[in-house]
Amino acid sequence: VEVDKLVTARWIIPVEPAGRVLAEHAIAIDDGRIVAIEPARVADSQFHARTRWDGPEHVLIPGLVNAHTHAPMTLFRGLADDRPLEAWLAEHIWPAEQAWVDTEFVRDGADLAVAEMLSAGVTCFGDMYFFPDSVAAAAVAAGMRAAVGIVVIGFPSAWADDIDAYLAKGLAVHDRYRDEPLVSTVFAPHAPYTVPRSALERVRVLAEELDRPITTHLHETATEVANAIAQHGGRPLRYLQGLGLLSDRLVAVHMTQVDDVDLDLLARHGVHVAHCPRSNLKLASGLCPVAKLLSAGVNVALGTDGAASNNELDLLGEMRTAALLAKAVAGDATVVPAPVALRMATLAGARALGLDARIGSLLPGKDADILGVRLDGVHTQPVYGPLSQLVYAASRGDVDSVWVRGERVVADGAPLRCDRAEVIRRARRWAERIAPGPVA
Ligand SMILES: [Zn+2]
């Protein structure tokens, strides 16, 4: 049988079925899709491949899915560190956004984010930011997948003046990218405390009509929950329940505050959680009870959040932090073992973004979004188990090759379609404009 590509490796971890590690196997790829995963010898006799790639010291896994980020905020990386969330947002990030965000800022920030994420093995990201058309264009140019946000927020920005404009412009982006296989859209109301009730109701109706996910910041801090109780007489999750927003469409980002009723609501309605451990740690937002959520059957995906609160878009690092933090929060070293952590970084993110029929695991019929990680560094020796090594010892510097829809977009750790020098030059130019002197 003729196929486009045969990709072989010492190990393949398909994520489905859970915990499986295949040794000396090959993935046959044709027309951007996985045709078969077979022992390398069998594949060699079965397929005639036009191109071939071998990873003798590599493990192949599904491309990583960053379920929550604000890609263009890479240009604010390191601008306002070591501040609590409320002051960080109100005194630094929102004023900087009012002053600087335009289509050029978003394009340059998204190019930087896409180059960083691809070289760290991320093949798909869920985004929430102004000018989502520019974010989508950056992803497509680099050969990467993006679920861009139809962002809605209750104050004007350079992108849109009011709720009507946010929705109309976001829907136009949805239409423009309808036939682009790398781009999908998600409704992205910023948070219940920044989006009016009537706008949330419209988002619910539109998301049902267009069959799209809805992602929103939710229960990020104890202060947010306390303010909502004072304002609406209830916790934000229950406020959204009253608006009919709890369903398997909803991706609740953060959820550091989860009481027993919240846990029951999340599980019963199939709400996904996008856990952003490093952002929560850096802003001291709180601790997401990941083990409790997982044992209640909640789908928990992983996100980096924006680079202004992390400060890196490194999902392998995020995955390790998530595994370690979950154990500390639960007081139980057995929770979030390596296979579960890897699933959170791949298939769970794909499910949250409504893309699990196409990506998130290595199965025949799915798109060939594949990450090849080297396991021959001194810091990953010896290899008793590649899954353990991947989660607890490997880092983004070990990323070797990345394929998206069967096309190789990263080789030797470098994104092939990104102009690295130009991306860095433009990021530096923005920094000179935003903060001409040293940042306190
Ligand atoms: Zn966020």
Side-chain angles (χ1 to χ4, degrees):
V1 183
E2 287 261 333
V3 292
D4 290 337
K5 284 188 175 74
L6 214 50
V7 174
T8 77
R10 176 102 178 255
W11 304 281
I12 297 175
I13 302 174
V15 172
E16 285 184 288
R20 175 163 295 178
V21 178
L22 305 168
E24 307 292 351
H25 272 55
I27 304 176
I29 301 167
D30 199 58
D31 198 22
R33 290 195 175 180
I34 298 171
V35 175
I37 303 178
E38 304 277 4
R41 267 174 216 187
V42 175
D44 276 333
S45 63
Q46 218 176 329
F47 297 105
H48 182 261
R50 282 176 278 277
T51 63
R52 186 190 173 95
W53 180 91
D54 296 303
E57 301 281 358
H58 300 66
V59 56
L60 299 179
I61 60 171
L64 303 173
V65 178
N66 184 354
H68 178 71
T69 190
H70 312 277
M73 293 183 80
T74 45
L75 294 179
F76 294 140
R77 187 188 340 248
L79 182 65
D81 292 334
D82 310 322
R83 287 161 170 95
L85 177 80
E86 290 77 16
W88 174 78
L89 260 184
E91 293 163 27
H92 299 275
I93 295 304
W94 284 339
E97 287 181 333
Q98 289 295 330
W100 298 108
V101 171
D102 61 13
T103 181
E104 206 191 13
F105 175 97
V106 169
R107 182 201 67 194
D108 292 347
D111 281 345
L112 181 64
V114 160
E116 180 185 3
M117 286 193 278
L118 264 183
S119 57
V122 176
T123 53
C124 178
F125 64 103
D127 203 61
M128 178 194 284
Y129 214 66
F130 312 105
F131 300 92
D133 49 345
S134 298
V135 175
V140 171
M144 187 180 188
R145 221 178 267 278
V148 298
I150 297 172
V151 65
V152 182
I153 193 162
F155 52 72
S157 65
W159 167 240
D161 289 332
D162 55 20
I163 299 296
D164 285 340
Y166 278 107
L167 287 171
K169 289 187 142 184
L171 291 170
V173 174
H174 173 82
D175 286 341
R176 196 170 317 142
Y177 283 94
R178 204 183 280 273
D179 297 322
E180 169 51 62
L182 294 177
V183 174
S184 60
T185 52
V186 294
F187 282 89
H190 173 263
Y193 62 92
T194 52
V195 180
R197 172 193 291 258
S198 59
L200 290 171
E201 285 168 341
R202 289 171 69 187
V203 164
R204 179 183 61 75
V205 172
L206 288 167
E208 281 170 12
E209 274 176 21
L210 297 174
D211 192 20
R212 294 285 78 220
I214 302 168
T215 183
T216 196
H217 296 111
L218 202 61
H219 292 208
E220 185 168 4
T221 62
T223 305
E224 174 198 333
V225 174
N227 289 347
I229 291 169
Q231 210 182 329
H232 308 290
R235 295 164 72 82
L237 189 72
R238 283 165 237 182
Y239 166 66
L240 294 189
Q241 182 194 19
L243 300 181
L245 274 159
L246 301 197
S247 76
D248 63 0
R249 260 181 222 299
L250 186 67
V251 183
V253 181
H254 296 308
M255 290 307 295
T256 73
Q257 314 295 314
V258 180
D259 69 13
D260 289 344
V261 178
D262 295 335
L263 185 64
D264 177 62
L265 284 175
L266 293 169
R268 193 147 43 86
H269 292 278
V271 175
H272 310 268
V273 169
H275 173 42
C276 305
R278 290 181 172 184
S279 173
N280 295 159
L281 287 167
K282 183 161 183 274
L283 294 167
S285 298
L287 300 166
C288 177
V290 173
K292 257 193 206 174
L293 292 170
L294 290 172
S295 62
V298 176
N299 181 49
V300 182
L302 284 182
T304 57
D305 214 350
S309 64
N310 186 303
N311 292 1
E312 48 190 6
L313 308 182
D314 172 8
L315 209 74
L316 275 178
E318 209 72 33
M319 172 172 71
R320 185 181 312 164
T321 302
L324 301 181
L325 185 61
K327 298 171 199 306
V329 169
D332 181 351
T334 68
V335 303
V336 189
V340 173
L342 181 60
R343 184 192 160 89
M344 288 167 69
T346 54
L347 187 59
R351 272 186 69 194
L353 298 175
L355 295 169
D356 52 316
R358 284 159 62 189
I359 60 167
S361 57
L362 302 178
L363 289 178
K366 282 201 177 186
D367 285 2
D369 287 20
I370 305 169
L371 164 58
V373 180
R374 300 191 71 104
L375 290 184
D376 58 352
V378 287
H379 58 289
T380 50
Q381 296 306 308
V383 183
Y384 293 112
L387 190 40
S388 166
Q389 232 47 349
L390 184 74
V391 173
Y392 293 115
S395 56
R396 64 177 166 181
D398 301 313
V399 167
D400 180 307
S401 293
V402 176
W403 294 262
V404 175
R405 292 185 82 233
E407 188 195 332
R408 194 161 179 215
V409 290
V410 172
D412 298 323
L416 296 170
R417 293 213 227 149
C418 301
D419 182 344
R420 188 174 179 275
E422 173 64 10
V423 165
I424 291 172
R425 192 187 67 77
R426 283 192 265 126
R428 287 179 176 165
R429 203 186 57 194
W430 278 106
E432 285 158 15
R433 291 172 65 190
I434 292 168
V439 173

